[in-house]
Amino acid sequence: MNRDRYGSSVGPGCGRLLLAVGLLVLAPFATAQAAAAASTGSNAAEQARPRIGLVLGGGGARGAAHIGVLEVLEKMRVPVDCVAGTSMGGLVAGVYAAGLSPATMRAELAKADWHDLFQDSPNYSERAFRRKVEERRFLPASETGVGPDGVKYQTGVVTGQKIKLFFNQLVGDYRGQRQIEALPLPLSIIATDLVQGERVVFREGSLTTAMRASMSVPGLMSPVETRGMRLVDGGLVDNVPIDEARSRCQADVVIAVNVGSPLLKADEISGLLSVTTQMVNILTEQNVTHSLATLKPTDIYIKPDLEGVSAGDFERTSETADRGVRAAEAVADRLRSLAVSEAAYAAWTEKIQVARRAAPRIDEVQIAGLKRVNPAVVEDHIDVKAGDSVDPAKINSELLRAYGDGHYENVDYAVLTERERNILRVTPLEKSWGPDYLRYGVNLDTNFKANSTYALRAAYQKTWLNELGGELLAYGEIGSDTGIGLDYYQPLDAQQRYFVETNLHYGSKLSGIYQNNQQLAEYRVIQGEARIGAGINLGTIGQARAGWSENWWNPRLETGSPFLPSLSKQYGGWFGLVDLDQTDRLYFPTSGWRTTVGYFDSPANHFSKLDAGGSVFHSVGDWVFSSRVSYQGSPVGQLPVYDAGSLGGMLNMTAFAIGQLKGDDMTYGNVRAERIIGRLPLGLRGDMRIGLALEAAKVGTPYTETNLKGWINSTAVYLGGETPLGPLYLGYGYSSSGSTGGYYNIYLFLGTP
């Protein structure tokens, strides 16, 4: 219509000319309007995209498949608006929300030593030496709390000490405590209230605490106590939290990834552990079935093929992640419909990335929450001074050494900012089942002949009797060896570097007398000792002490012909002891060294005794090589029969019975080669080995087996491994020494020596 009006006022030629000029003048404006219109359309399209909630289910090590799914989402440019996870899915979700890329996540989880992470204590070489001494006598796992309320037990095989510190380092807590509500990507982590049996959803609070609570497999890991609740694995109530993701960000589309373990088959259920596992799997499958029923046609369900991958296969992280990649690629067409432009995805990525500041300089170190333990004991382990930056590997190592003192359920930390000051707050949580404990030990040592020993041990220990850490240990032993004793240990300074100790012991043990591989007699030797001394703790390396020891000795003939004089002997003297241990394990070490040098001088009885020995261990792959030497003798005079050296028994001249070789000036050495043929599951330290030992000994003045002259040989082959009752050996020893046709023994050993 407008055209007609203009056409009546001008001629056709002029109209065309004016039209051309007008188009030239208006072209830039038209182009700008068109671009603006296109941009508006694009933004509208981006804004109109469906809101996406990502759900990562629990499944232990099978949860590494989530990383592969995230890699595909990243490759296809699929943004998410919130993420919810349970158990291992909660770990991956938390790390993802904290800003780690899938590639970084894959690398960090793959290089983690998960077998070590499920070991609470630091390397044995880094534990407090006081605790090492206890573990030599009593089973480490036997600790039972006792108090006015009765007997109390540790609530899991693993307290999760190393796991929590690993989480802290993974999400960057050493730069400042990470709070869920402060993360740019909305996050929900599911746990279970053990008391109420209800679902607990973490939408705020400490990120790593939520991750740790969600992974607390009942029976394996201790519950997390927070917010007045005791929390365990969220998989018991909501292993694939679809509804949570839908409500967390009003998701239009849910991408749900299920990595749960299938139910065990009938032939796979054969013991208590498998029955317990099946019960947990049944509970999990029930809530997963309910959750999957809420999926809508618009949702995307991903279930990776994880056949052959168990919940404990953490060493297969990369392989499992690859299976997640394949599962996500199988639904690529549906995922592609959720993709956004490169610019939009870059903007989303920038939005969820967390700017990671450098580790702050610390203005103050605080030790918080202690009730019994002197804070100075913890401070002695923390080498962070005002002005230092937090080094995550260093702080983890220091907190593990503090944990190795044996007084805490866990030792955690947080970096807080208060009034523009950075505070490193260390929070040791004292054992809820302490400070008084019952400890147990067993011993079985037999050559399937007459010479066998067995014993059951029990002890009552009171710790932190005063602010310096005084300890009282009362113990008893019944069996072929019997005894009672009382030890009192009193540190003299807050850091527990110096101490005094009093020991009282009374008991009896069997001792055989041998000649030409025949037991001629067996005595029950009644022994008593009263000792008082002072010493110094040499950090985690060892201990040195000196003092006075008073001893009583009385042999009583049990069987055979008399050999020892029928007399009672009392003798006293000065003693000194240096005990150093830097092996990585108490039993079946793979590396390190240990040495002991003890000296006793009895002026009234004109003799002294030197008892010294040392061992070294080195591993190459699955092979462990070791060597041990020892000496027992008297630099002054000659060892009397009542304090003679002795050899015999498993890996102590294996071809001979326990104590078969007795005498003065006894030298012993061995070299061993062992191959690791199996390892205990997560939460249990130790392995199974087959071994060969070449042994040799020389007795300067023999009191038994007097026909054996010079160096005596022994060869041992054995099967050994660590069990919940201590080390186990089954071995055979043979010696060609002597003129009686050789010596041999078959040994079974179980328990603490």
Side-chain angles (χ1 to χ4, degrees):
M1 297 292 296
N2 291 337
R3 189 186 57 188
D4 292 341
R5 187 183 68 182
Y6 289 120
S8 64
S9 57
V10 296
C14 287
R16 286 193 292 271
L17 178 61
L18 290 172
L19 178 61
V21 172
L23 290 173
L24 289 172
V25 173
L26 296 175
F29 299 98
T31 301
Q33 290 179 343
S39 176
T40 302
S42 177
N43 289 338
E46 297 292 353
Q47 293 173 1
R49 73 171 181 83
R51 298 184 63 79
I52 301 171
L54 178 62
V55 178
L56 306 179
R62 295 161 65 94
H66 294 315
I67 301 172
V69 174
L70 293 176
E71 290 173 339
V72 174
L73 295 181
E74 181 181 66
K75 180 181 179 181
M76 300 187 68
R77 302 192 306 274
V78 177
V80 300
D81 297 281
C82 63
V83 59
T86 299
S87 194
M88 189 65 177
L91 164 63
V92 176
V95 174
Y96 188 56
L100 264 71
S101 68
T104 302
M105 206 184 305
R106 177 192 280 255
E108 291 296 324
L109 295 186
K111 72 180 184 182
D113 185 349
W114 287 90
H115 194 84
D116 181 68
L117 289 177
F118 277 89
Q119 303 292 329
D120 286 322
S121 296
N123 190 297
Y124 181 76
S125 63
E126 297 181 345
R127 298 185 203 176
F129 196 78
R130 178 72 179 169
R131 304 285 81 85
K132 294 180 184 179
V133 173
E134 289 175 355
E135 293 183 15
R136 292 173 183 176
R137 301 169 65 183
F138 306 100
L139 298 173
S142 70
E143 182 183 272
T144 302
V146 60
D149 300 330
V151 176
K152 295 179 288 185
Y153 300 94
Q154 183 174 322
T155 51
V157 177
V158 179
T159 66
Q161 172 65 34
K162 289 184 180 178
I163 291 174
K164 182 59 163 65
L165 294 181
F166 173 66
F167 290 172
N168 290 350
Q169 185 170 340
L170 200 60
V171 305
D173 256 4
Y174 59 93
R175 298 184 176 96
Q177 190 174 36
R178 307 301 298 274
Q179 300 292 311
I180 294 175
E181 64 272 22
L183 299 175
L185 183 62
L187 169 69
S188 300
I189 294 179
I190 312 300
T192 302
D193 185 337
L194 187 61
V195 177
Q196 300 297 327
E198 298 177 346
R199 186 181 77 159
V200 175
V201 181
F202 283 90
R203 291 184 170 185
E204 60 184 15
S206 168
L207 172 59
T208 55
T209 297
M211 293 159 61
R212 166 67 179 84
S214 188
M215 286 190 65
S216 298
V217 180
L220 173 62
M221 299 177 66
S222 297
V224 172
E225 297 194 19
T226 184
R227 305 180 184 180
M229 300 176 290
R230 305 182 75 185
L231 303 179
V232 296
D233 196 326
L236 297 176
V237 291
D238 197 358
N239 201 48
V240 186
I242 294 171
D243 286 345
E244 172 58 25
R246 206 181 301 279
S247 63
R248 183 74 164 103
C249 59
Q250 293 74 53
D252 302 303
V253 177
V254 170
I255 302 174
V257 188
N258 180 15
V259 295
S261 300
L263 295 177
L264 299 177
K265 299 176 182 177
D267 58 354
E268 295 174 327
I269 305 173
S270 59
L272 179 61
L273 180 60
S274 61
V275 171
T276 303
T277 301
Q278 185 76 334
M279 292 173 63
V280 173
N281 288 346
I282 290 173
L283 291 174
T284 302
E285 280 296 307
Q286 288 177 346
N287 72 66
V288 168
T289 299
H290 175 77
S291 187
L292 295 180
T294 67
L295 288 172
K296 301 177 181 180
T298 53
D299 297 329
I300 299 174
Y301 178 61
I302 300 175
K303 186 174 177 58
D305 179 7
L306 299 175
E307 180 70 27
V309 180
S310 74
D313 285 336
F314 286 96
E315 71 278 1
R316 300 170 65 181
T317 293
S318 292
E319 175 196 342
T320 307
D322 290 340
R323 298 196 187 193
V325 170
R326 291 194 291 271
E329 289 176 341
V331 294
D333 290 342
R334 297 198 64 191
L335 292 175
R336 195 172 291 112
S337 66
L338 303 175
V340 299
S341 66
E342 291 186 12
Y345 191 77
W348 174 83
T349 301
E350 184 178 359
K351 178 183 176 182
I352 70 166
Q353 288 297 315
V354 181
R356 293 204 167 191
R357 62 173 182 148
R361 295 191 179 277
I362 300 301
D363 298 299
E364 181 184 356
V365 177
Q366 295 179 352
I367 311 297
L370 292 174
K371 299 176 182 178
R372 297 181 298 268
V373 178
N374 192 326
V377 176
V378 181
E379 290 173 355
D380 193 50
H381 294 289
I382 310 301
D383 186 24
V384 178
K385 303 176 180 64
D388 292 347
S389 298
V390 177
D391 180 338
K394 182 172 177 289
I395 189 65
N396 282 3
S397 177
E398 291 169 352
L399 295 184
L400 279 174
R401 283 199 298 271
Y403 180 85
D405 287 345
H407 308 306
Y408 321 104
E409 290 189 40
N410 59 71
V411 184
D412 205 356
Y413 74 93
V415 178
L416 310 173
T417 301
E418 298 180 357
R419 300 174 182 173
E420 299 184 352
R421 300 177 78 248
N422 296 317
I423 298 172
L424 175 64
R425 183 170 294 166
V426 179
T427 53
L429 177 63
E430 295 169 339
K431 290 178 176 177
S432 58
W433 58 93
D436 301 341
Y437 309 99
L438 295 175
R439 300 184 181 276
Y440 309 97
V442 298
N443 176 269
L444 172 63
D445 197 342
T446 179
N447 62 355
F448 302 97
K449 300 177 183 177
N451 187 271
S452 301
T453 63
Y454 62 93
L456 297 175
R457 304 187 187 117
Y460 174 64
Q461 182 183 30
K462 293 183 69 69
T463 66
W464 288 100
L465 296 173
N466 49 56
E467 66 177 6
L468 295 180
E471 296 183 3
L472 180 68
L473 181 74
Y475 60 91
E477 182 177 18
I478 60 173
S480 59
D481 296 345
T482 61
I484 56 174
L486 188 69
D487 298 344
Y488 183 75
Y489 172 83
Q490 180 58 63
L492 300 177
D493 61 319
Q495 291 74 29
Q496 299 188 340
R497 297 185 181 95
Y498 307 98
F499 65 90
V500 293
E501 187 170 17
T502 300
N503 312 99
L504 300 173
H505 175 78
Y506 180 84
S508 70
K509 64 178 183 179
L510 295 174
S511 180
I513 305 298
Y514 291 82
Q515 184 67 27
N516 295 325
N517 207 24
Q518 298 294 319
Q519 181 173 297
L520 304 179
E522 185 174 53
Y523 284 80
R524 179 164 295 279
V525 181
I526 312 298
Q527 292 178 302
E529 182 181 22
R531 176 183 290 196
I532 184 169
I536 178 173
N537 287 310
L538 306 172
T540 60
I541 298 176
Q543 192 179 81
R545 63 174 68 194
W548 181 268
S549 175
E550 197 71 26
N551 300 269
W552 294 265
W553 181 83
N554 184 15
R556 299 178 181 177
L557 182 66
E558 293 275 304
T559 61
S561 303
F563 179 84
L564 300 178
S566 298
L567 55 84
S568 297
K569 183 67 179 179
Q570 178 179 345
Y571 59 102
W574 297 100
F575 73 87
L577 176 67
V578 177
D579 192 350
L580 310 176
D581 193 338
Q582 283 290 280
T583 53
D584 63 338
R585 302 179 194 171
L586 173 57
Y587 306 118
F588 300 98
T590 61
S591 64
W593 57 271
R594 61 169 64 117
T595 185
T596 303
V597 179
Y599 187 78
F600 176 79
D601 182 66
S602 182
N605 293 275
H606 309 291
F607 82 94
S608 63
K609 183 177 183 179
L610 176 63
D611 194 342
S615 302
V616 293
F617 302 86
H618 180 72
S619 61
V620 180
D622 287 334
W623 286 92
V624 181
F625 303 94
S626 64
S627 180
R628 173 182 157 228
V629 295
S630 68
Y631 173 81
Q632 302 170 81
S634 178
V636 178
Q638 181 174 299
L639 291 182
V641 67
Y642 51 82
D643 206 4
S646 69
L647 290 169
M650 189 67 206
L651 297 176
N652 198 43
M653 295 301 287
T654 311
F656 298 85
I658 300 170
Q660 185 170 347
L661 302 175
K662 292 183 174 68
D664 179 35
D665 196 29
M666 307 183 70
T667 304
Y668 169 82
N670 73 31
V671 291
R672 295 160 58 183
E674 300 172 340
R675 182 172 176 84
I676 300 173
I677 58 175
R679 289 181 170 84
L680 294 180
L682 292 177
L684 299 174
R685 184 181 294 277
D687 47 51
M688 185 67 66
R689 305 180 185 183
I690 56 174
L692 170 69
L694 303 179
E695 306 172 279
K698 185 177 182 181
V699 184
T701 304
Y703 299 156
T704 62
E705 296 291 354
T706 56
N707 293 328
L708 293 177
K709 305 295 184 181
W711 285 98
I712 308 166
N713 65 72
S714 176
T715 301
V717 292
Y718 55 92
L719 177 69
E722 192 164 349
T723 75
L725 295 179
L728 171 68
Y729 287 98
L730 178 63
Y732 171 81
Y734 176 78
S735 173
S736 61
S737 299
S739 58
T740 59
Y743 296 75
Y744 72 91
N745 274 287
I746 299 174
Y747 272 104
L748 174 65
F749 177 89
L750 174 66
T752 52

